[in-house]
């Protein structure tokens, strides 16, 4: 409870003697005294604030002392509430600082993960480009080999036609000379040699 003390200022004259220019003079001035009662329960050397009554209404909007006491009591309650809010604010501030530190740590970890993923993505992109280049080279080589194979097929077909033609001729000649059984072994060896050569040529064409 806020304590409000009501008292009156008392004045009295006080004299002081001073010597000025070799002459003694007596000066009077007002001395003020504010009497207090034992029931006011004030401590020695305790600081107090003095507000003249004429300023009460200006400061508090009332002239009644009890109204001022009630006002000061409410003010004290407000001060206590403010202190409570300060304590709550400190608790919130500590909690937010902890959460902020946690978020900073998470941000640091996410930044590391992002850098690692970016590095992997860069490497994967580089490998993909290299593989794409190799694939294009292989496709180009495949096209060249296909063309070469097509040319080989043409050559093979031509050789096969030539072989078939020679084989037909050989068959015709054999049929023509077959009835003549009086020819010696020399002719038979000659035709066997031609067959062997034609057979080897056919095998060589297939291998190509």
């Amino acid at each position: 409870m806020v304590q409000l003390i009501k008292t009156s200022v008392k004045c009295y004259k006080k004299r002081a003697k001073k010597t000025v220019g070799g002459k003694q003079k007596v000066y009077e001035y007002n001395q003020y005294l504010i009497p207090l009662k034992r029931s006011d329960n004030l401590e020695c050397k305790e600081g107090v604030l003095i507000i003249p009554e004429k300023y009460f209404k200006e400061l508090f909007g009332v002239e009644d002392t009890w109204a001022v006491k009630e006002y000061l009591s409410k003010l004290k309650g407000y001060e206590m509430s403010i202190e409570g809010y300060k304590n709550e604010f400190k608790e919130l501030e500590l909690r937010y600082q902890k959460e902020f530190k946690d978020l900073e740590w998470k941000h640091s970890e996410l930044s590391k993960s992002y850098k690692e993923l970016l590095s992997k993505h860069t490497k994967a992109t580089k490998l993909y480009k290299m593989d794409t280049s190799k694939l294009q080279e292989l496709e180009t080589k495949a096209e060249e080999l296909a063309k070469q194979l097509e040319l080989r097929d043409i050559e093979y077909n031509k050789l096969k036609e030539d072989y078939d033609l020679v084989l037909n001729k050989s068959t015709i000649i054999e049929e023509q000379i077959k009835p003549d059984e009086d020819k010696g072994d020399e002719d038979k060896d000659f035709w066997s040699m031609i067959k062997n050569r034609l057979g080897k040529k056919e095998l060589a064409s297939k291998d190509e």
Side-chain angles (χ1 to χ4, degrees):
M1 184 68 182
V2 178
Q3 185 180 3
L4 186 62
I5 299 170
K6 187 174 182 180
T7 185
S8 299
V9 178
K10 293 184 178 181
C11 298
Y12 61 91
K13 296 289 184 181
K14 189 173 182 180
R15 293 184 179 184
K17 294 181 180 181
K18 289 186 179 181
T19 301
V20 180
K23 293 182 179 181
Q24 193 175 28
K25 291 185 178 182
V26 179
Y27 294 91
E28 288 187 358
Y29 55 92
N30 289 331
Q31 186 74 26
Y32 301 95
L33 181 65
I34 300 176
L36 300 171
K37 295 179 290 185
R38 183 178 295 177
S39 60
D40 293 332
N41 295 323
L42 294 174
E43 300 289 337
C44 294
K45 297 183 180 180
E46 182 178 353
V48 293
L49 298 176
I50 300 171
I51 301 176
E53 285 183 345
K54 61 183 178 180
Y55 296 133
F56 259 48
K57 188 174 182 180
E58 182 180 345
L59 290 173
F60 305 107
V62 293
E63 295 180 357
D64 184 20
T65 303
W66 292 105
V68 174
K69 285 183 179 181
E70 186 178 358
Y71 173 81
L72 293 175
S73 178
K74 290 181 180 180
L75 185 61
K76 186 68 176 178
Y78 295 149
E79 289 177 352
M80 292 178 65
S81 298
I82 291 172
E83 287 297 323
Y85 292 142
K86 285 182 180 179
N87 292 332
E88 290 181 5
F89 178 76
K90 286 181 180 178
E91 291 178 359
L92 288 173
E93 186 178 12
L94 291 174
R95 187 174 24 165
Y96 289 149
Q97 286 178 353
K98 184 178 180 299
E99 290 179 357
F100 180 72
K101 288 181 180 179
D102 292 340
L103 289 173
E104 278 189 329
W105 180 81
K106 289 179 181 178
H107 177 265
S108 176
E109 292 298 315
L110 288 173
S111 296
K112 291 179 182 177
S113 299
Y114 171 75
K115 289 179 181 178
E116 290 176 359
L117 290 174
L118 183 61
S119 177
K120 290 180 180 178
H121 173 71
T122 303
K123 290 180 180 178
T125 303
K126 186 176 180 180
L127 290 173
Y128 171 76
K129 289 181 178 178
M130 291 174 64
D131 291 341
T132 303
S133 178
K134 288 181 180 178
L135 179 61
Q136 290 177 349
E137 290 178 1
L138 291 173
E139 287 178 348
T140 302
K141 288 182 179 179
E143 290 177 358
E144 292 176 356
L145 291 173
K147 291 179 180 179
Q148 291 178 6
L149 181 61
E150 186 178 355
L151 293 174
R152 290 289 178 89
D153 288 339
I154 294 171
E155 292 177 358
Y156 170 77
N157 291 330
K158 185 177 180 182
L159 289 173
K160 190 173 183 303
E161 289 177 358
D162 294 340
Y163 169 76
D164 291 338
L165 183 61
V166 172
L167 186 61
N168 291 332
K169 288 181 179 180
S170 175
T171 303
I172 294 169
I173 293 172
E174 282 182 357
E175 290 177 353
Q176 289 177 354
I177 65 174
K178 188 175 180 181
D180 191 1
E181 295 178 353
D182 295 333
K183 289 186 177 181
D185 294 334
E186 185 177 349
D187 293 336
K188 292 181 180 179
D189 293 338
F190 173 77
W191 291 112
S192 297
M193 181 181 66
I194 292 175
K195 287 183 180 180
N196 289 333
R197 287 184 179 180
L198 290 174
K200 290 180 181 180
K201 188 174 182 181
E202 181 180 5
L203 291 174
S205 299
K206 288 182 179 180
D207 291 339
E208 291 179 356

